[in-house]
Amino acid sequence: QSNCLLNTGLWKSFDDYIFSTTALGYKEAEAVFRLKVADQEPSIWGMTVWEQDDDDNESIGSLPLSHEELRAWLHRLFLSNILPVDRDANSLIREERASNLSLFLQTLSHCVNHLGMPAHFIASILEELLKKKTLVTKATLSNESPAPYLGSKDVSKKRFVVSAFQTDLTNQTAIFLQNNMLGFRLLDTSFLPTQKASLYELKLGGISPEYSQSWAFAYGSVSSCMSLGFMLQKKKGSDEYDISTAAGNGNNGNPMFMMMAMMQGGGMPGQKKSSKLRRDLLSSGDEIGHVFSCMNWDLSSQTASFWMCEDVFEKFSAYRFRLIRTDGWFCLPHGDAKLGDAKRMG
């Protein structure tokens, strides 16, 4: 059974519903994951019951889609993980989704070790994402929430700058390889971190009293890590991506205005302009910063914890640490901190 998405009434069709998580239509998802939806007329409401495909054993080793289709799917899944579409963190009804690179790497591992896809093919796609700062692909990056299922409507090649997310991907890939979690080998590992991964904790603090009481209203469900990450910036620069500059919500960052805007819309999701941070990351990549999607956040102690290879930590230790949300795409207010301020826990 599965129902990992909240507010299922947001989706117009079952294809859209499945697409939001898998980046596949539901018939494609059945073929790729070798499962079948039990209901003859599946619905977005309630639980979805999946059954093992009776032909599963016979289909192991065969590809459910062509190489080109599989490549486009994995590119689409990667893009939807690193650049989830803007969502209004103030809406009572909104799409909630888990989006981090650990989930993407687990999917690649599942493709090889459980679905029998060729390891060399999956490894070649991962190496491409690890090496190329600009991804040229037939995959489409959605700018709507929930994302509509596009099928094969758009097959033109597009270019996406992904350099802002490559440090996180190389770090996570190295961690997976160190712990034998990937299940397949890469032909070239010269571009990966070489030192072991350690757990780090960084106590941020400094949340303004102006925001502390309205944290849940202003920033959505911030205790959930589904939409939390951090960004490392070489220079302090301006605070143009802060929530207080209205970079993400267009209401001057005033908690009262935020609450009023939410109430005026009845808490319903609406059309909103793409945030400046998401646009700039797509256009300028790592010149803006390095985005990391895998972390834990303790609101009560205002502490971020994350695993990082020690040579990555050393390389970026002088960089400014910014806690970000990847639904509204803005930086959260907290005390100034550098990555090097984090303590190694083991």
Side-chain angles (χ1 to χ4, degrees):
Q1 292 185 342
S2 70
N3 195 346
C4 62
L5 302 174
L6 304 180
N7 299 317
T8 52
L10 287 171
W11 284 265
K12 295 180 180 180
S13 71
F14 195 70
D15 269 320
D16 290 354
Y17 177 59
I18 298 300
F19 185 79
S20 286
T21 298
T22 66
L24 292 165
Y26 97 88
K27 284 298 182 182
E28 294 171 332
E30 285 183 327
V32 168
F33 297 112
R34 310 190 196 284
L35 297 170
K36 288 184 177 179
V37 177
D39 299 330
Q40 291 185 353
E41 296 183 3
S43 169
I44 57 177
W45 302 98
M47 285 288 182
T48 300
V49 179
W50 298 83
E51 296 177 339
Q52 191 74 35
D53 191 334
D54 292 337
D55 299 327
D56 179 58
N57 292 331
E58 298 179 5
S59 59
I60 290 295
S62 63
L63 291 175
L65 304 173
S66 68
H67 278 93
E68 186 177 0
E69 290 171 329
L70 283 172
R71 184 179 299 276
W73 164 53
L74 290 174
H75 285 172
R76 189 164 59 243
L77 186 65
F78 173 73
L79 290 170
S80 68
N81 268 261
I82 63 172
L83 282 160
V85 69
D86 286 86
R87 287 153 287 156
D88 189 350
N90 298 318
S91 290
L92 298 178
I93 300 177
R94 66 181 182 273
E95 180 186 5
E96 295 273 17
R97 54 177 300 175
S99 300
N100 61 51
L101 287 178
S102 175
L103 181 63
F104 176 72
L105 292 174
Q106 289 178 52
T107 303
L108 297 186
S109 176
H110 184 77
C111 286
V112 172
N113 299 297
H114 296 278
L115 302 180
M117 295 184 187
H120 68 277
F121 173 70
I122 300 299
S124 69
I125 293 176
L126 178 56
E127 287 191 25
E128 176 188 21
L129 296 174
L130 287 163
K131 292 180 178 180
K132 294 184 178 180
K133 291 183 177 292
T134 299
L135 177 64
V136 180
T137 179
K138 290 184 177 180
T140 298
L141 176 63
S142 178
N143 291 308
E144 298 179 54
S145 177
Y149 171 59
L150 299 174
S152 57
K153 295 178 183 177
D154 188 358
V155 294
S156 60
K157 286 191 175 182
K158 294 160 282 290
R159 300 170 66 88
F160 299 99
V161 178
V162 296
S163 58
F165 308 92
Q166 282 183 309
T167 302
D168 188 22
L169 183 60
T170 57
N171 182 65
Q172 287 299 317
T173 301
I175 291 173
F176 268 63
L177 289 172
Q178 289 176 19
N179 292 278
N180 298 314
M181 295 165 58
L182 202 55
F184 59 89
R185 307 176 78 178
L186 299 178
L187 294 177
D188 182 10
T189 59
S190 61
F191 48 85
L192 293 178
T194 58
Q195 296 182 12
K196 70 175 184 177
S198 296
L199 176 64
Y200 293 89
E201 285 189 357
L202 179 58
K203 186 174 178 60
L204 294 172
I207 296 176
S208 169
E210 176 186 1
Y211 294 101
S212 61
Q213 295 301 317
S214 59
W215 187 273
F217 288 104
Y219 314 123
S221 180
V222 80
S223 59
S224 167
C225 285
M226 292 177 71
S227 298
L228 276 176
F230 62 90
M231 180 169 62
L232 301 178
Q233 292 181 299
K234 190 171 185 178
K235 298 179 181 178
K236 182 174 181 179
S238 65
D239 294 327
E240 58 184 321
Y241 304 122
D242 283 10
I243 183 65
S244 58
T245 65
N249 61 7
N251 54 32
N252 296 324
N254 186 299
M256 183 58 68
F257 289 153
M258 294 177 191
M259 197 179 306
M260 289 174 63
M262 179 180 70
M263 293 175 67
Q264 288 172 356
M268 298 295 290
Q271 297 294 323
K272 64 188 293 289
K273 185 179 180 181
S274 177
S275 76
K276 180 172 174 54
L277 176 56
R278 187 173 185 264
R279 296 196 309 271
D280 287 357
L281 288 170
L282 266 171
S283 62
S284 302
D286 56 4
E287 293 180 12
I288 304 302
H290 299 267
V291 176
F292 289 74
S293 59
C294 303
M295 58 161 282
N296 285 319
W297 170 249
D298 188 329
L299 178 59
S300 60
S301 64
Q302 300 178 22
T303 300
S305 58
F306 50 90
W307 287 88
M308 186 175 285
C309 295
E310 293 178 0
D311 42 349
V312 176
F313 183 83
E314 182 178 352
K315 179 179 179 180
F316 294 98
S317 60
Y319 280 53
R320 187 187 186 196
F321 186 103
R322 308 295 311 281
L323 196 64
I324 65 172
R325 283 191 68 93
T326 58
D327 48 10
W329 283 102
F330 51 76
C331 297
L332 292 162
H334 56 72
D336 286 339
K338 294 181 179 180
L339 178 64
D341 297 329
K343 296 181 178 180
R344 189 172 67 182
M345 306 306 294

